[in-house]
Amino acid sequence: MKLIDLLAQEVRASAAYNSNVQEAPSVILWTDKQRQWESALPLLQAALPELIVLGNYAPERKTGPAIWIKCVVEGVLPDIELPADRTPIVYLPGYERRDLRAIADCPEPLKPLAELQYRGCWWIYSNSGRDWTVNAFLISANGGAGLDVAKDEKTQQAMLRVLPEILDSERDDLSNRRLEAADFNKLVSSDPVRDLLSWMNDSQVCRERWDASRWQALVGICESEYSFHPDQDGELTAAELLCQRQGAWEGVWQRFIESCHHYPQLPQLLMKVQADLAASGASYPSINANEEQQLEAELSRLLQMDPAKARLAIAELERRHAERRQWIWFALDMSPLAGVLQHLAEIATHTATVFSGADPEEMAAQYRDRYWQADDQALKALAYPLPAAEQSLVQGILDVIYTPWLDGVTRNFQGLVRSKGYPGADQINEAVAEYAATGEAVFFVDGLRYDTAQRLMLKLQGLGEVRPGHNWSAMPSVTATAKAAITPVHERLTGRTTDRDFEPSLLDEDKTFSAYYLRKLLQEKGWQYLEEGESGDPTSNAWLQSGDIDKEGHVRGLKLASRIDILLDEVVERVEELIAAGWQKIRIVTDHGWVLTPKPMSKVDLPKHLTETRWSRCALIKDSVDSGYQQVGWYWNSAVSVAVAPGACSFKAGQHYDHGGLSLQECLTPVIEIRSSQPAMPVSAVTATLSDIRWLGLTCRVQAETEADGVLAVLRTHPGDPDSEISKRKPLKKGKCSLMVDDQYEGSSAVLVLLDDQGNVLAKKPTLVGDE
């Protein structure tokens, strides 16, 4: 790994946070009182495209005054785009942390940024509050490179003078030896190809930074090996020779391909090179740019075509442009339309047939075998990183080829249900069938659609044996109805004609089923209810849940597509925690899927006077009158009639995302079973549960329930790692104790852990140090 990549990794890691108790930081603040890192800014910004710098106004270099930085961080400057999936990094040369901390004495140029320290986090040395100096980063084994650097003045001066070259070096090349001034100086002339590419990337900066000897060395090498003179011929001639890739220039080209992200301005220089008719676009970015323009024009014409012709046209475009995804320009994000075209071509293939079947089960089998991929590829196309205008174009194309298919398939499925019946009304509920007698964790994930579950299973590989299954959602496919049907306490529920909002009630008393009763009935059944961060007892059964997919769909609409993988990664992380805690079997279940259309769903009229409750995809019909739309019985009481929106339509205007209707996407749900590949952990005879955590300043007051002696409490940053302890271990006395924490950890995430006398974790709970 290159040191610049390690540095980028460590800076970004400072934004890590515990989502159970914290909000994501808005920004990472990087102070540098001595301006040690400033000489490497071009390299830093190439590796960290989210890095913005406090300084004179130069937006092309992502540099500007404090007010400008605030606007960039808030995303209100349309000409400055930071990566959407990265936390912005603000580099503050010439300032240290205390300049911002002392609000009253904060320097005027900094004052607009002072409030960011409360919404953001710092890249600081070992939580000490001190700046990361170059030397500290190179020698530190905790958050740095762990190198052996001499402390003498000559070495330290050489280190700062050649900082860009150091960061561009492989860590292994500098390891296992003492680094002195001579070692750093050798970096200047030991790699002429790197120097040549660096000069082509930014000739002015290189000439200002390099000494005369280094420049003359490069000139001599260029004359003897690359047949051109940098001073006399200039960088455009070098660009022409690089694109031609003749002789020794082929080696330069290969190096450029291997480390292209370290030379962010070089592609713009290469764009100036005029290509002849025989030239290959693999070497000439201008050819690639022309191809992108032509592709955009041809994709725009699809908006006027019928679906069948559009699909044929997309297949032809894919045949012509697929090769460009092998070019270096694609890796440099210069071919985004060629990238999203791959997903459009897959969608065109899978939507060519509006499939059906002899009955709903046969249609579902076809969907599970193949057609779920149309939905998956539609999500990937919507999530593809594109400028706003091109995102709108892709949405328009999906409206041509995907939405009519979704509508047609859904109408076919609704027709089969009308004639053959809904399978979920009388089949075994696979989500809750055959629960293990003990030792099974049932993990409910709200809104885990069938296609997203296929992605999830790929992410779960390696954690154990993953077994796929499927189920039918209770109707209507809304959370209140369908979640209740897959809980382990579903037999304790019923539906009354007086129930509202599709929520069932308790069988034994006329009370609405709620989160409170879920916990209560689970406890009566002998099941654990695991909150976020709790691992529970793997020798019994447990229920845990996550609701982020459906929640984000309702809040974000189309933007859900770009969040799917992040949300699935959170599910995987929770599964990893359960397996690490000793759970041998985990069953992932869900309540319903959803439909997501690139343009708002077509609205169909349903008079209000006919309905008790009207949602986007379903409505509760008064007195079971004929609404004019297909009606199904409520899962919990078939006497209650529910109207479903036809096809991919909606009873409300402006909806991109929703569920509750009768479609394969909403009703066919996944069941995923994971059997751990790790041996079962020995179970401690000691039990303990945490009942309360309270902070008084930096003192953590702990209260727990246990009948055993010798139970210890301790605060850690990682629950299973004894080396991460930030407090002394204290024994519980009558279930209570107090833990003291150093002020350097104030505001940071921690986990309160209870241990037996063998060090086994009995219980844990996340917290925030000093939280009020």
Side-chain angles (χ1 to χ4, degrees), residues 470-703:
H470 63 276
N471 194 41
W472 289 100
S473 172
M475 287 301 294
S477 51
V478 297
T479 299
T481 286
K483 178 182 176 181
I486 60 167
T487 64
V489 299
H490 64 282
E491 73 281 356
R492 301 282 300 275
L493 309 178
T494 189
R496 295 179 168 84
T497 56
T498 55
D499 291 336
R500 291 292 178 265
D501 293 327
F502 304 117
E503 293 181 337
S505 53
L506 304 184
L507 182 62
D508 299 332
E509 50 184 325
D510 190 5
K511 292 184 178 180
T512 301
F513 183 54
S514 63
Y516 166 78
Y517 285 110
L518 172 60
R519 288 175 172 84
K520 182 176 183 293
L521 296 178
L522 283 171
Q523 184 177 19
E524 292 176 3
K525 194 179 180 71
W527 281 56
Q528 307 166 75
Y529 184 98
L530 302 184
E531 301 284 0
E532 286 289 343
E534 294 182 347
S535 298
D537 177 8
T539 62
S540 64
N541 285 343
W543 171 274
L544 63 152
Q545 57 190 43
S546 170
D548 286 344
I549 296 177
D550 188 38
K551 176 183 175 182
E552 295 218 15
H554 286 295
V555 172
R556 296 177 181 268
L558 282 180
K559 292 183 179 179
L560 170 66
S562 62
R563 295 277 298 163
I564 289 294
D565 282 312
I566 296 172
L567 297 171
L568 295 181
D569 287 341
E570 292 177 357
V571 174
V572 174
E573 182 179 352
R574 189 72 167 107
V575 171
E576 290 174 338
E577 291 176 1
L578 294 171
I579 290 175
W583 290 93
Q584 293 295 297
K585 183 179 179 183
I586 302 164
R587 186 188 304 218
I588 296 176
V589 299
T590 192
D591 47 358
H592 57 73
W594 31 270
V595 291
L596 183 69
T597 55
K599 296 291 180 70
M601 301 179 209
S602 297
K603 181 182 180 298
V604 293
D605 291 327
L606 178 62
K608 282 187 177 182
H609 70 272
L610 297 179
T611 65
E612 293 279 0
T613 302
R614 184 177 61 168
W615 293 8
S616 173
R617 295 278 294 156
C618 61
L620 185 62
I621 302 301
K622 291 180 179 178
D623 303 322
S624 299
V625 300
D626 184 2
S627 64
Y629 296 103
Q630 186 170 354
Q631 293 175 207
V632 296
W634 183 31
Y635 176 84
W636 294 104
N637 187 334
S638 59
V640 178
S641 186
V642 179
V644 292
C649 298
S650 170
F651 292 134
K652 294 184 178 181
Q655 300 294 113
H656 285 280
Y657 171 95
D658 221 323
H659 54 90
L662 185 60
S663 70
L664 287 168
Q665 287 75 11
E666 294 160 289
C667 298
L668 182 65
T669 58
V671 179
I672 304 174
E673 188 178 288
I674 305 108
R675 293 186 180 270
S676 172
S677 57
Q678 297 182 9
M681 296 173 60
V683 179
S684 174
V686 178
T687 61
T689 57
L690 284 162
S691 53
D692 192 26
I693 301 176
R694 294 187 183 181
W695 286 93
L696 294 177
L698 294 175
T699 299
C700 181
R701 299 283 180 85
V702 181
Q703 185 164 344

Side-chain angles (χ1 to χ4, degrees), residues 74 90 173 192 196 205 213 222 242 401 438 484 639 677 685 768:
E74 299 301 330
V90 178
D173 293 342
L196 175 55
V205 168
S213 60
C222 288
L242 180 60
I401 64 172
T438 57
S677 57
L768 199 65

Side-chain angles (χ1 to χ4, degrees), residues 695 698-700 715 726-727 739-743 745-746 769:
W695 286 93
L698 294 175
T699 299
C700 181
L715 286 160
I726 60 175
S727 74
L739 303 174
M740 298 287 293
V741 182
D742 191 271
D743 60 5
Y745 298 108
E746 184 176 3
V769 175

Side-chain angles (χ1 to χ4, degrees), residues 397-508:
I397 294 170
L398 290 176
D399 194 50
V400 172
I401 64 172
Y402 172 72
T403 303
W405 173 86
L406 175 64
D407 184 76
V409 168
T410 300
R411 290 177 186 272
N412 286 348
F413 180 68
Q414 291 173 343
L416 291 175
V417 170
R418 186 183 292 109
S419 60
K420 304 290 186 178
Y422 179 61
D426 54 10
Q427 289 188 2
I428 294 175
N429 189 337
E430 296 293 342
V432 299
E434 299 180 1
Y435 277 135
T438 57
E440 180 171 9
V442 180
F443 187 176
F444 169 76
V445 180
D446 194 0
L448 181 65
R449 199 168 71 168
Y450 191 87
D451 56 308
T452 59
Q454 310 313 301
R455 286 199 218 180
L456 177 59
M457 285 193 292
L458 290 176
K459 294 173 180 286
L460 291 169
Q461 298 298 323
L463 297 182
E465 181 185 357
V466 180
R467 300 178 181 177
H470 63 276
N471 194 41
W472 289 100
S473 172
M475 287 301 294
S477 51
V478 297
T479 299
T481 286
K483 178 182 176 181
I486 60 167
T487 64
V489 299
H490 64 282
E491 73 281 356
R492 301 282 300 275
L493 309 178
T494 189
R496 295 179 168 84
T497 56
T498 55
D499 291 336
R500 291 292 178 265
D501 293 327
F502 304 117
E503 293 181 337
S505 53
L506 304 184
L507 182 62
D508 299 332

Side-chain angles (χ1 to χ4, degrees), residues 688-690 692-693 700-706 709-716 719 725-733 735-741 751-757 759-765:
T689 57
L690 284 162
D692 192 26
I693 301 176
C700 181
R701 299 283 180 85
V702 181
Q703 185 164 344
E705 297 177 6
T706 181
D709 296 327
V711 175
L712 302 173
V714 67
L715 286 160
R716 295 174 172 175
E725 293 178 1
I726 60 175
S727 74
K728 292 182 178 180
R729 297 184 181 187
K730 290 284 190 69
L732 294 177
K733 295 181 179 179
K736 298 180 180 180
C737 75
S738 296
L739 303 174
M740 298 287 293
V741 182
V751 183
L752 177 61
V753 180
L754 298 184
L755 307 170
D756 65 12
D757 57 3
N760 297 313
V761 176
L762 304 176
K764 62 185 179 70
K765 195 168 188 177

